[in-house]
Amino acid sequence: MATGKVEICGVDTATLPVLTNERMRELFPLVHGGDREAREEFIRGNLRLVLSVVQRFSGRGENADDLFQVGCIGLIKALDHFDVSQNVRFSTYAVPMIIGEIRRYLRDNNPIRVSRSLRDTAYKALQARDRLVGGGNGQRAGRAPGGRGVRSGSDSGPRFPL
């Protein structure tokens, strides 16, 4: 019985190789020079990075295989745009690129489109609720205020009737 075996997109994650920083530094010039084998080795050596980012997005009802594939696209984009002269680790550059690619996928594949202004209003209401729940305006901590309490605690004023 294999312990710790997780298979995503047909890849046994327990057997994924890990590249050392020295090996990554050796591969960068080769990858940017067009060496396909070096590129493939570099991508395979960083699949665990993609896996760790994909785990952050688990529990959202999306297929892990799809997220892993989209994360791999983010990894490839990060590899193509990485500048070695910036004196920053590849993982520091790649993780936000992978996250951005996954967020773009989740946003674009959502059947419901919510306008930016409505999201901003909801965010302000959540901030006001959090301020009120934390104590203040006579509210007891741990009890969520009603609609009027949130509206009185938000900066935006009464925009929608409650």
Side-chain angles (χ1 to χ4, degrees):
M1 176 181 233
T3 59
K5 179 182 177 184
V6 177
E7 195 167 301
I8 294 183
C9 295
V11 176
D12 180 5
T13 58
T15 62
L16 289 175
V18 178
L19 287 181
T20 63
N21 284 333
E22 295 81 30
R23 182 65 182 149
M24 276 195 226
R25 285 190 209 108
E26 293 169 5
L27 288 175
F28 274 125
L30 299 173
V31 169
H32 290 290
D35 186 348
R36 287 194 166 274
E37 290 178 15
R39 181 180 176 87
E40 188 172 322
E41 180 183 350
F42 191 90
I43 291 170
R44 285 185 190 268
N46 282 287
L47 288 179
R48 284 183 186 239
L49 183 64
V50 175
L51 186 62
S52 69
V53 172
V54 166
Q55 288 174 346
R56 296 181 192 179
F57 292 92
S58 64
R60 296 186 183 210
E62 289 292 327
N63 188 352
D65 286 349
D66 292 343
L67 295 179
F68 185 74
Q69 289 178 11
V70 171
C72 288
I73 292 170
L75 175 68
I76 292 169
K77 286 183 178 181
L79 177 59
D80 290 341
H81 296 104
F82 185 68
D83 185 7
V84 183
S85 67
Q86 294 296 321
N87 198 20
V88 66
R89 292 184 66 181
F90 177 74
S91 60
T92 304
Y93 180 76
V95 167
M97 293 280 286
I98 296 167
I99 290 172
E101 203 64 34
I102 292 173
R103 283 186 178 160
R104 186 175 303 111
Y105 168 79
L106 293 173
R107 181 192 68 220
D108 292 347
N109 286 346
N110 190 355
I112 300 172
R113 304 277 187 233
V114 180
S115 71
R116 180 68 182 227
S117 63
L118 191 56
R119 281 188 287 172
D120 290 344
T121 302
Y123 180 70
K124 287 179 185 177
L126 288 173
Q127 283 183 322
R129 185 195 67 191
D130 290 344
R131 279 195 309 271
L132 292 172
V133 168
N137 283 357
Q139 298 286 340
R140 285 187 283 146
R143 183 176 147 251
R148 294 191 190 284
V150 171
R151 185 171 60 198
S152 67
S154 68
D155 302 350
S156 61
R159 187 168 171 188
F160 302 105
L162 297 175

